[in-house]
């Protein structure tokens, strides 16, 4: 069927109907998605509703490693050659808008085999910076990755469906929103002598990603920087709360001027005792 070149109203009308149908189908999909919100049930039978948004929590190894008192083979502060000059991943956390979050949503236990193709970037960018085995959801002890998957990853449905999807998604978001690069370009580089304005760091991230991050400090040094995302991974402002009872905002947790300490493992000498590394004088 040819269209009348003298009367563009006919194809325009067809286009309009098509666009109308398309937008209605998109709208009905979103409505269905809203009404089909996932209710997750953890092993204890506790029901938890679908999360509202994601927090990508990044840690600053220079600050965390400086507090290392005890070494072991799983602590990258002790055994990483070349030190750290960038943020590494703490976790991707599904959160609620009210500042709380779901946790331990299914009984799916961590299985390293499922992410064997991701191990190289995982070791480098999602390093464990402590020896303590964080307790996992079901009373068991596990690795850092096991903890993050079992506590947070299992709650990230319907966005990430399984362990591989959870870790791959997190790595991709981490690489796409490269905070270290943004800060370096703004002149905020690792240093054991410089102090930087907190507002300047926040503005640099806001200018790059058009959303407000949350910073957590320890003794005046940046310990964590958190970026927040809608479920489609478009950046959004972070909610300045940390747990049900304690409000944590960058302003409360961090002073006006903060440091980004550098860290070289060679700067400290560790001794190896049996399965644990310790400071010589520990
Ligand atoms: O901040 C202390 C710990 O609480 C968990 N947390 C914090 C903020 C948030 O938005 N979501 C969240 O889960 C983290 O627990 P972890 O993963 O370390 O067990 C955070 O470290």
């Amino acid at each position: 069927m040819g269209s009348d070149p003298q009367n563009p109203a006919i194809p325009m009308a067809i286009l309009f109907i098509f666009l109308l149908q398309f937008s209605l189908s998109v709208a009905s999909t979103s409505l269905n998605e809203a009404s089909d919100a996932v209710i997750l049930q953890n092993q204890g039978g506790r029901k938890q509703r679908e999360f509202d948004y994601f927090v990508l929590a990044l840690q600053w190894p220079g600050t965390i490693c400086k507090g290392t008192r005890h070494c072991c083979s799983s602590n990258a502060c002790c055994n990483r050659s070349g030190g750290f000059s960038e943020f590494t991943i703490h976790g991707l956390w599904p959160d609620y808008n009210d500042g709380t979050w779901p946790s331990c949503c299914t009984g799916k236990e961590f299985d390293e085999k499922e992410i064997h193709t991701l191990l190289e970037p995982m070791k480098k960018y999602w390093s464990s910076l402590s020896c303590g085995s964080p307790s996992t959801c079901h009373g068991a002890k596990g690795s850092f990755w096991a903890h993050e998957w079992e506590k947070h990853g299992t709650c990230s449905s319907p966005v990430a469906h399984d362990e591989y999807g959870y870790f791959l998604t997190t790595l991709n978001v981490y690489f796409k929103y490269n905070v270290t690069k943004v800060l370096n370009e703004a002149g905020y580089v690792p240093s054991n002598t410089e102090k930087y304005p907190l507002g300047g760091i926040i503005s640099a991230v806001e200018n790059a990603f058009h959303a407000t991050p949350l910073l957590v400090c320890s003794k005046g040094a940046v310990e964590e920087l958190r970026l927040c995302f809608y479920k489609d991974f478009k950046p959004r402002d972070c909610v300045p709360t940390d747990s049900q009872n304690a409000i944590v905002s960058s302003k409360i947790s961090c002073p006006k001027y903060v440091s980004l300490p550098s860290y070289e493992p060679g700067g400290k000498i560790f001794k190896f005792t049996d399965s644990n590394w310790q400071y010589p004088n520990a």
Side-chain angles (χ1 to χ4, degrees):
M1 190 181 70
S3 61
D4 181 358
Q6 304 303 314
N7 187 358
I10 296 169
M12 283 302 284
I14 293 169
L15 182 66
F16 176 73
I17 290 166
F18 170 78
L19 285 176
L20 187 67
Q21 278 179 338
F22 177 73
S23 42
L24 283 176
S25 81
V26 169
S28 86
T29 308
S30 335
L31 284 174
N32 287 342
E33 274 167 9
S35 58
D36 290 349
V38 173
I39 302 285
L40 295 156
Q41 198 157 4
N42 70 7
Q43 275 193 329
R46 191 162 51 104
K47 287 201 170 95
Q48 301 182 86
R49 70 181 163 81
E50 189 179 319
F51 70 100
D52 295 321
Y53 72 102
F54 279 117
V55 177
L56 176 69
L58 305 172
Q59 38 195 16
W60 184 255
T63 302
I64 295 171
C65 293
K66 280 216 154 70
T68 302
R69 293 280 167 273
H70 178 212
C71 269
C72 60
S73 53
S74 67
N75 187 346
C77 293
C78 313
N79 53 33
R80 166 130 153 182
S81 56
F84 290 99
S85 52
E86 63 211 333
F87 283 96
T88 56
I89 301 168
H90 181 166
L92 183 68
W93 303 334
D95 272 25
Y96 295 128
N97 285 327
D98 66 3
T100 65
W101 52 86
S103 62
C104 308
C105 291
T106 70
K108 283 190 191 152
E109 286 184 17
F110 176 73
D111 177 1
E112 194 169 299
K113 288 197 285 301
E114 289 192 25
I115 54 162
H116 71 277
T117 53
L118 303 176
L119 288 182
E120 205 179 306
M122 290 283 297
K123 283 182 190 150
K124 191 161 178 205
Y125 301 111
W126 201 327
S127 315
S128 167
L129 302 177
S130 76
C131 289
S133 328
S135 61
T136 42
C137 300
H138 316 293
K141 294 275 181 184
S143 68
F144 181 39
W145 298 340
H147 172 75
E148 291 301 312
W149 158 251
E150 290 169 17
K151 180 173 176 185
H152 303 287
T154 57
C155 302
S156 58
S157 177
V159 177
H161 301 283
D162 54 22
E163 189 189 305
Y164 177 79
Y166 172 72
F167 286 104
L168 179 66
T169 302
T170 309
L171 287 168
N172 281 335
V173 180
Y174 169 77
F175 290 127
K176 180 163 180 190
Y177 295 94
N178 189 336
V179 174
T180 310
K181 185 164 172 262
V182 165
L183 295 192
N184 286 350
E185 285 171 1
Y188 305 126
V189 293
S191 164
N192 286 322
T193 50
E194 289 294 318
K195 295 256 184 212
Y196 301 118
L198 176 68
I201 291 180
I202 293 177
S203 297
V205 175
E206 284 176 336
N207 290 340
F209 305 143
H210 309 292
T212 305
L214 184 65
L215 276 91
V216 179
C217 292
S218 169
K219 296 180 188 150
V222 173
E223 184 175 68
E224 288 217 355
L225 190 151
R226 298 180 189 165
L227 296 177
C228 298
F229 297 92
Y230 294 104
K231 290 177 190 176
D232 59 2
F233 292 105
K234 294 214 170 69
R236 56 158 271 174
D237 293 343
C238 289
V239 176
T241 56
D242 201 284
S243 73
Q244 269 157 313
N245 303 315
I247 290 181
V248 169
S249 75
S250 301
K251 281 188 191 133
I252 295 171
S253 167
C254 300
K256 271 192 173 161
Y257 286 84
V258 296
S259 62
L260 283 169
S262 58
Y263 181 75
E264 293 296 329
K268 284 180 174 177
I269 299 158
F270 299 112
K271 76 174 178 191
F272 183 69
T273 55
D274 251 333
S275 57
N276 290 326
W277 292 86
Q278 289 180 335
Y279 283 117
N281 301 323

